[in-house]
Amino acid sequence: MSSWNDVEQAEPEFAARVRSIFDAHKHKTIATLRSDGSPRISGIEIQFADGELTFGSMPGARKGADLLRDPRFALHSASVDPPEGAPAAWTGDAKIAGRARLVGDLDGEVAGQLFHADLTEVVRTGLNEAGDRLVIEFWRPGEPLRRVERT
């Protein structure tokens, strides 16, 4: 598995674009798997710290229980509409998939569990310079950055 630092080392410009999208808004969305295998969507806050993507779960939260049972997750940035009349100025959105690894308790005044993300995929979706084609960039461990354009 790969850490956030691995993405930054392999593709620093891509990592900076993805991180700026995640850092632009406090709240993100995480998908976990329920015990019956169906998806669960929850709100979450994340942090990039010391080369790691980290997040927490409050005591008794279902997302924490989901991650302890099955560590697979998908994380999505806040998604905003392209600017009116200037679609190419849209910063896009970002997604990260991987496995959550429990590393201990949260520090600070809020109790809970602290997880680090072992990454399997990082994706940025945006528009081309003309604003008329969807651009999807994605990184996977051990592979070069890929870029796909769609109409």
Side-chain angles (χ1 to χ4, degrees), residues 106-132:
L106 286 169
D107 290 334
E109 55 190 64
V110 177
Q113 300 164 311
L114 177 64
F115 292 89
H116 284 185
D118 292 328
L119 309 180
T120 57
E121 183 176 64
V122 179
V123 179
R124 181 198 166 269
T125 303
L127 296 173
N128 67 357
E129 289 181 20
D132 60 359

Short mmCIF file of all heavy atoms in Angstrom, two decimals, residues 106-132:
data_model
loop_
_atom_site.label_atom_id
_atom_site.label_comp_id
_atom_site.label_asym_id
_atom_site.label_seq_id
_atom_site.Cartn_x
_atom_site.Cartn_y
_atom_site.Cartn_z
N LEU A 106 -7.50 9.32 18.82
CA LEU A 106 -7.37 10.71 18.41
C LEU A 106 -6.75 11.52 19.53
O LEU A 106 -7.07 11.30 20.71
CB LEU A 106 -8.74 11.30 18.08
CG LEU A 106 -9.39 10.86 16.78
CD1 LEU A 106 -10.84 11.33 16.73
CD2 LEU A 106 -8.63 11.40 15.60
N ASP A 107 -5.88 12.44 19.18
CA ASP A 107 -5.33 13.38 20.15
C ASP A 107 -6.28 14.57 20.27
O ASP A 107 -6.98 14.90 19.33
CB ASP A 107 -3.96 13.90 19.67
CG ASP A 107 -2.89 12.84 19.74
OD1 ASP A 107 -3.02 11.91 20.57
OD2 ASP A 107 -1.91 12.93 18.99
N GLY A 108 -6.29 15.20 21.41
CA GLY A 108 -7.08 16.42 21.55
C GLY A 108 -8.32 16.21 22.39
O GLY A 108 -8.50 15.20 23.07
N GLU A 109 -9.24 17.18 22.29
CA GLU A 109 -10.42 17.17 23.15
C GLU A 109 -11.53 16.26 22.65
O GLU A 109 -12.45 15.95 23.40
CB GLU A 109 -10.93 18.60 23.33
CG GLU A 109 -11.22 19.31 22.04
CD GLU A 109 -11.49 20.79 22.24
OE1 GLU A 109 -10.58 21.50 22.69
OE2 GLU A 109 -12.63 21.21 21.94
N VAL A 110 -11.48 15.80 21.40
CA VAL A 110 -12.49 14.91 20.86
C VAL A 110 -11.97 13.47 20.92
O VAL A 110 -10.89 13.18 20.42
CB VAL A 110 -12.85 15.29 19.40
CG1 VAL A 110 -13.85 14.31 18.82
CG2 VAL A 110 -13.39 16.71 19.34
N ALA A 111 -12.73 12.59 21.53
CA ALA A 111 -12.33 11.19 21.63
C ALA A 111 -12.64 10.47 20.31
O ALA A 111 -13.47 10.90 19.53
CB ALA A 111 -13.08 10.50 22.76
N GLY A 112 -11.95 9.38 20.09
CA GLY A 112 -12.22 8.58 18.91
C GLY A 112 -10.99 7.82 18.46
O GLY A 112 -9.99 7.76 19.16
N GLN A 113 -11.12 7.25 17.27
CA GLN A 113 -10.05 6.45 16.69
C GLN A 113 -9.41 7.21 15.53
O GLN A 113 -10.10 7.85 14.75
CB GLN A 113 -10.62 5.13 16.17
CG GLN A 113 -11.28 4.31 17.25
CD GLN A 113 -12.17 3.24 16.67
OE1 GLN A 113 -12.98 3.50 15.80
NE2 GLN A 113 -12.00 2.02 17.16
N LEU A 114 -8.09 7.07 15.41
CA LEU A 114 -7.35 7.71 14.33
C LEU A 114 -6.95 6.65 13.31
O LEU A 114 -6.42 5.60 13.67
CB LEU A 114 -6.09 8.39 14.88
CG LEU A 114 -5.17 9.04 13.84
CD1 LEU A 114 -5.88 10.19 13.13
CD2 LEU A 114 -3.89 9.52 14.50
N PHE A 115 -7.22 6.96 12.04
CA PHE A 115 -6.88 6.07 10.94
C PHE A 115 -5.91 6.75 9.99
O PHE A 115 -5.99 7.96 9.78
CB PHE A 115 -8.14 5.71 10.14
CG PHE A 115 -9.13 4.86 10.88
CD1 PHE A 115 -10.13 5.44 11.65
CD2 PHE A 115 -9.06 3.47 10.82
CE1 PHE A 115 -11.05 4.66 12.33
CE2 PHE A 115 -9.97 2.69 11.50
CZ PHE A 115 -10.97 3.28 12.26
N HIS A 116 -5.00 5.98 9.42
CA HIS A 116 -4.17 6.41 8.29
C HIS A 116 -4.69 5.69 7.07
O HIS A 116 -5.16 4.55 7.15
CB HIS A 116 -2.70 6.05 8.50
CG HIS A 116 -2.00 6.94 9.46
ND1 HIS A 116 -0.65 6.85 9.71
CD2 HIS A 116 -2.44 7.95 10.25
CE1 HIS A 116 -0.30 7.75 10.60
NE2 HIS A 116 -1.36 8.43 10.95
N ALA A 117 -4.59 6.34 5.91
CA ALA A 117 -5.07 5.77 4.66
C ALA A 117 -3.92 5.14 3.88
O ALA A 117 -2.92 5.80 3.61
CB ALA A 117 -5.73 6.85 3.82
N ASP A 118 -4.07 3.86 3.56
CA ASP A 118 -3.19 3.19 2.62
C ASP A 118 -3.88 3.29 1.26
O ASP A 118 -4.97 2.74 1.08
CB ASP A 118 -2.97 1.73 3.01
CG ASP A 118 -2.18 1.58 4.30
OD1 ASP A 118 -1.31 2.45 4.56
OD2 ASP A 118 -2.41 0.61 5.04
N LEU A 119 -3.27 4.01 0.33
CA LEU A 119 -3.94 4.40 -0.91
C LEU A 119 -3.79 3.37 -2.02
O LEU A 119 -2.72 2.83 -2.25
CB LEU A 119 -3.36 5.74 -1.38
CG LEU A 119 -3.33 6.85 -0.34
CD1 LEU A 119 -2.73 8.11 -0.92
CD2 LEU A 119 -4.70 7.10 0.23
N THR A 120 -4.91 3.15 -2.72
CA THR A 120 -4.89 2.30 -3.90
C THR A 120 -5.18 3.09 -5.17
O THR A 120 -4.86 2.62 -6.26
CB THR A 120 -5.92 1.15 -3.78
OG1 THR A 120 -7.23 1.71 -3.55
CG2 THR A 120 -5.56 0.23 -2.63
N GLU A 121 -5.79 4.27 -5.02
CA GLU A 121 -6.10 5.10 -6.20
C GLU A 121 -6.37 6.53 -5.77
O GLU A 121 -7.01 6.77 -4.75
CB GLU A 121 -7.32 4.54 -6.93
CG GLU A 121 -7.66 5.28 -8.20
CD GLU A 121 -8.81 4.64 -8.94
OE1 GLU A 121 -9.94 4.61 -8.39
OE2 GLU A 121 -8.58 4.15 -10.05
N VAL A 122 -5.88 7.47 -6.58
CA VAL A 122 -6.15 8.90 -6.39
C VAL A 122 -6.61 9.44 -7.74
O VAL A 122 -5.95 9.22 -8.76
CB VAL A 122 -4.89 9.66 -5.91
CG1 VAL A 122 -5.19 11.14 -5.73
CG2 VAL A 122 -4.36 9.04 -4.62
N VAL A 123 -7.75 10.15 -7.75
CA VAL A 123 -8.35 10.62 -9.00
C VAL A 123 -8.70 12.09 -8.89
O VAL A 123 -9.22 12.54 -7.87
CB VAL A 123 -9.64 9.83 -9.33
CG1 VAL A 123 -10.29 10.33 -10.61
CG2 VAL A 123 -9.36 8.33 -9.41
N ARG A 124 -8.42 12.83 -9.95
CA ARG A 124 -8.88 14.22 -10.06
C ARG A 124 -9.69 14.32 -11.34
O ARG A 124 -9.26 13.87 -12.41
CB ARG A 124 -7.73 15.21 -10.13
CG ARG A 124 -8.25 16.66 -10.24
CD ARG A 124 -7.18 17.61 -10.74
NE ARG A 124 -7.77 18.85 -11.14
CZ ARG A 124 -8.21 19.14 -12.38
NH1 ARG A 124 -8.12 18.28 -13.33
NH2 ARG A 124 -8.73 20.31 -12.64
N THR A 125 -10.88 14.89 -11.23
CA THR A 125 -11.76 15.09 -12.38
C THR A 125 -11.95 16.59 -12.57
O THR A 125 -12.22 17.31 -11.61
CB THR A 125 -13.12 14.41 -12.15
OG1 THR A 125 -12.90 13.03 -11.88
CG2 THR A 125 -14.01 14.55 -13.38
N GLY A 126 -11.79 17.06 -13.80
CA GLY A 126 -11.96 18.47 -14.10
C GLY A 126 -12.36 18.63 -15.56
O GLY A 126 -12.80 17.68 -16.21
N LEU A 127 -12.17 19.82 -16.08
CA LEU A 127 -12.47 20.11 -17.48
C LEU A 127 -11.21 20.57 -18.19
O LEU A 127 -10.29 21.10 -17.56
CB LEU A 127 -13.55 21.19 -17.59
CG LEU A 127 -14.92 20.84 -17.02
CD1 LEU A 127 -15.84 22.05 -17.04
CD2 LEU A 127 -15.54 19.67 -17.77
N ASN A 128 -11.18 20.39 -19.49
CA ASN A 128 -10.03 20.86 -20.28
C ASN A 128 -10.06 22.39 -20.36
O ASN A 128 -10.99 23.04 -19.86
CB ASN A 128 -9.99 20.21 -21.66
CG ASN A 128 -11.15 20.63 -22.55
OD1 ASN A 128 -12.05 21.38 -22.14
ND2 ASN A 128 -11.15 20.16 -23.78
N GLU A 129 -9.03 22.98 -20.98
CA GLU A 129 -8.92 24.45 -21.05
C GLU A 129 -10.09 25.10 -21.76
O GLU A 129 -10.48 26.21 -21.43
CB GLU A 129 -7.61 24.84 -21.71
CG GLU A 129 -6.40 24.55 -20.85
CD GLU A 129 -5.10 24.98 -21.50
OE1 GLU A 129 -5.12 25.81 -22.42
OE2 GLU A 129 -4.05 24.47 -21.06
N ALA A 130 -10.68 24.41 -22.74
CA ALA A 130 -11.83 24.96 -23.45
C ALA A 130 -13.12 24.79 -22.66
O ALA A 130 -14.13 25.40 -22.98
CB ALA A 130 -11.96 24.28 -24.82
N GLY A 131 -13.08 23.93 -21.64
CA GLY A 131 -14.27 23.70 -20.83
C GLY A 131 -15.30 22.82 -21.49
O GLY A 131 -16.46 22.79 -21.07
N ASP A 132 -14.90 22.09 -22.54
CA ASP A 132 -15.88 21.28 -23.26
C ASP A 132 -15.62 19.77 -23.20
O ASP A 132 -16.31 19.00 -23.84
CB ASP A 132 -15.95 21.74 -24.72
CG ASP A 132 -14.63 21.60 -25.45
OD1 ASP A 132 -13.63 21.17 -24.84
OD2 ASP A 132 -14.59 21.93 -26.65
#
